[in-house]
Amino acid sequence: MSANAEMNRYWNEASGPRWVEFQHWIDRQIEPLGARALERARLGPGERVLDVGCGCGATALAAARAVGPEGSVTGIDLSLPMLTRARERAAEASLANLEFLHADAQTATLAKGFDVVFSRFGVMFFEDPVRAFENLRRSLVARGRLVFVCWQALARNAWMRVPLEALASVLPLAPPASPTAPGPFAFADDARVRGILEQAGFGEIAFESVQEVLPIGPDDLEGSVRFALAIGPAGAALRDSPEAAARRHEIESALREALRPYWGPRGVTLASASWIVTARSGG
Ligand SMILES: C[S@@+](CC[C@H](N)C(=O)[O-])C[C@H]1O[C@@H](n2cnc3c(N)ncnc32)[C@H](O)[C@@H]1O
């Protein structure tokens, strides 16, 4: 069993299938952040890239185009349903320089010689982040680049905070897990992330703060409510709590009223804050 057993279950059984279902809308939401991180990676023709927690493959496909036929991209992910979607997309795009690996990036024996380790929101879920980043560093060439984008604190990410508050207005929610527990906001504290990367042997560590207003789910308000009911905290509560399932209609109306003020010509749009983190392996 994986070192990240709970995440393995979560991304294969609970959340992964929902990500596949809403892949188009999730990609639209986080595309600008991934594109910005890919710019920082400065991928060149012929380079080898490892895309960590590549999910349904959007950034692995973009990286494969950037490095061209002389280069190659390996996407690694725990989630079989998401990798299946990524493989379909690679085949549809006829990209032959792209492969996907179903494995835990924290512990997998990785090939050596990658020029770049990249991730769009795929590195905040490790049980033991130092061990995971050591493993990733060993896969890089000397002075190889690490580039990833991760969320800042929940308080700065209205796209998640607003639905969470709507849910909390209906149901008493369990007190938040430790802010550093594996999950989307585990890398909010830049000083902590710097410490993890230093311990894992990375240097030249830099953080760029990015604030973007993001479209959440399909363009119509009802589509965004459906999206919020499937993904994120409301989706998790409806799957895991019989009380939440029994009060689905109340949750749905609380979400609708919470999202309505943010609905406009681009659909529901909400603020986000993330870090683009860059570093180099030693050597
Ligand atoms: C928030 S999603 C991001 C997916 C994708 N990078 C994107 O931007 O659409 C996080 C991804 O990390 C993967 N993941 C989490 N822990 C992992 C691990 N230990 N090894 C490999 N993948 C992992 C999940 O399965 C999921 O696909």
Side-chain angles (χ1 to χ4, degrees):
M1 189 38 128
S2 149
N4 298 291
E6 174 48 26
M7 286 298 157
N8 201 1
R9 189 200 65 78
Y10 179 78
W11 288 107
N12 277 287
E13 292 163 29
S15 193
R18 304 286 88 71
W19 272 63
V20 173
E21 186 185 345
F22 287 95
Q23 171 249 310
H24 173 80
W25 304 109
I26 294 173
D27 276 344
R28 183 175 79 147
Q29 176 182 340
I30 54 183
E31 192 279 335
L33 305 171
R36 200 131 154 193
L38 275 171
E39 264 174 44
R40 298 297 175 270
R42 297 182 200 288
L43 300 182
E47 287 198 308
R48 291 183 63 201
V49 180
L50 180 66
D51 185 348
V52 179
C54 64
C56 299
T59 52
L61 266 77
R65 292 193 178 96
V67 298
E70 313 291 292
S72 64
V73 176
T74 302
I76 181 169
D77 205 286
L78 277 181
S79 170
L80 203 49
M82 293 169 81
L83 280 182
T84 301
R85 181 72 195 113
R87 288 181 173 129
E88 285 166 7
R89 293 171 87 186
E92 284 159 14
S94 304
L95 284 167
N97 61 344
L98 177 54
E99 62 169 11
F100 293 100
L101 199 57
H102 180 216
D104 185 330
Q106 178 174 308
T107 49
T109 304
L110 299 167
K112 305 264 184 265
F114 289 105
D115 300 290
V116 178
V117 167
F118 177 84
S119 184
R120 181 178 84 173
F121 301 114
V123 291
M124 307 87 84
F125 305 95
F126 300 127
E127 198 65 52
D128 183 342
V130 172
R131 183 172 166 210
F133 277 98
E134 274 172 350
N135 194 36
L136 297 174
R137 179 183 52 72
R138 281 194 292 270
S139 76
L140 279 166
V141 295
R143 295 192 46 72
R145 286 113 73 202
L146 170 70
V147 180
F148 63 84
V149 56
C150 60
W151 299 115
Q152 295 188 27
L154 173 65
R156 307 201 64 203
N157 278 288
W159 66 270
M160 176 68 100
R161 186 176 40 75
V162 167
L164 189 64
E165 286 170 356
L167 180 66
S169 73
V170 178
L171 280 181
L173 296 182
S178 133
T180 60
F185 300 101
F187 276 16
D189 177 353
D190 52 335
R192 171 172 185 261
V193 176
R194 180 180 292 279
I196 290 169
L197 296 181
E198 283 171 354
Q199 282 185 68
F202 285 95
E204 299 178 43
I205 301 161
F207 291 79
E208 179 188 353
S209 179
V210 177
Q211 279 89 46
E212 285 267 356
V213 174
L214 304 174
I216 308 302
D219 285 342
D220 57 313
L221 182 58
E222 289 314 308
S224 291
V225 172
R226 268 201 321 281
F227 180 81
L229 284 169
I231 306 274
L238 288 169
R239 275 190 306 271
D240 298 341
S241 145
E243 191 195 345
R247 299 179 70 183
R248 184 186 171 95
H249 289 301
E250 277 172 82
I251 294 172
E252 202 173 310
S253 9
L255 284 169
R256 185 176 299 111
E257 292 323 306
L259 295 177
R260 193 186 298 282
Y262 302 97
W263 182 45
R266 284 173 68 215
V268 170
T269 58
L270 283 158
S272 77
S274 50
W275 296 116
I276 294 179
V277 183
T278 51
R280 279 193 190 264
S281 61

